[in-house]
Amino acid sequence: GVLDVVCFPPHTFRHVAPWAPHVLTDATRVLKPHGVVAIMAQRRARLVGPASLVEDFDDFAAFLGAQAALETRESEQQGFADVAFPAGVNVKRRWFQSEFPVQSLAALRAYVRSWPEYHAVAAPGIDPDHDGVLRRAVAADPLDAFIAAAEACFLKRTGQRYVRDGLALAVDTCVITC
């Protein structure tokens, strides 16, 4: 082999997980002796502050998930614990948590707009009954409603118009080495 490490970044390994034994066997063929295969998985980032918004954000995320009814990525959320690795391979899982500040609710809005669940619920689509007519899946964008409610609650409690202080997300990342 010629490589010291083969890395599967977050959101990549799930596409080949059903064939994990074959993929990992092929990956080890290109490794130098004592080389490492590293697989990364991430859980969806969650809001960790301010405390007054955490429960509302969790409820909002659950609403999107229930409305979208998309296939869940449970395997990735659990660090691919259900994946069959080749026999004799020493597999180690380590979870790390990263927390980072979010500059504004607008930045939080941009992050949520990257979710597949958001697009399934609120993004425009083609209405099959009217060729070419764009329609929303719901009457009001649920993200805009959440942001407006968060700003109103924050204004009422603090007298400040914009949520800035303490707005933070946390991401859990699993690194699997074998």
Side-chain angles (χ1 to χ4, degrees):
V2 296
L3 299 175
D4 292 318
V5 66
V6 173
C7 183
F8 292 92
H11 313 297
T12 302
F13 188 74
R14 71 169 170 240
H15 299 292
V16 297
W19 307 280
H22 302 293
V23 170
L24 294 172
T25 299
D26 288 345
T28 58
R29 288 184 183 149
V30 298
L31 290 174
K32 291 180 181 177
H34 306 293
V36 174
V37 175
I39 302 164
M40 298 175 67
Q42 285 185 330
R43 292 187 178 135
R44 165 94 9 119
R46 62 192 185 288
L47 193 67
V48 292
S52 59
L53 292 181
V54 171
E55 186 176 345
D56 291 339
F57 186 78
D58 290 346
D59 290 346
F60 170 73
F63 163 79
L64 282 183
Q67 293 297 311
L70 296 177
E71 177 183 321
T72 62
R73 295 180 178 87
E74 192 64 31
S75 181
E76 184 175 5
Q77 298 293 314
Q78 301 305 322
F80 297 111
D82 61 339
V83 171
F85 288 90
V89 172
N90 184 17
V91 177
K92 295 180 184 173
R93 283 180 182 78
R94 295 175 188 92
W95 283 95
F96 304 93
Q97 184 181 68
S98 304
E99 190 173 308
F100 53 95
V102 179
Q103 299 303 315
S104 66
L105 283 173
L108 182 63
R109 175 186 285 138
Y111 168 66
V112 172
R113 283 189 172 150
S114 72
W115 295 1
E117 296 91 334
Y118 173 78
H119 288 277
V121 172
I126 301 294
D127 183 339
D129 295 332
H130 302 87
D131 284 344
V133 176
L134 295 177
R135 304 227 185 261
R136 284 195 177 274
V138 294
D141 184 336
L143 178 59
D144 289 342
F146 169 78
I147 296 294
E151 287 176 340
C153 289
F154 194 75
L155 177 64
K156 181 178 179 182
R157 191 174 47 262
T158 66
Q160 296 177 341
R161 172 77 173 109
Y162 297 105
V163 179
R164 285 195 181 97
D165 296 333
L167 196 57
L169 290 173
V171 178
D172 294 324
T173 302
C174 179
V175 178
I176 305 165
T177 55
C178 48

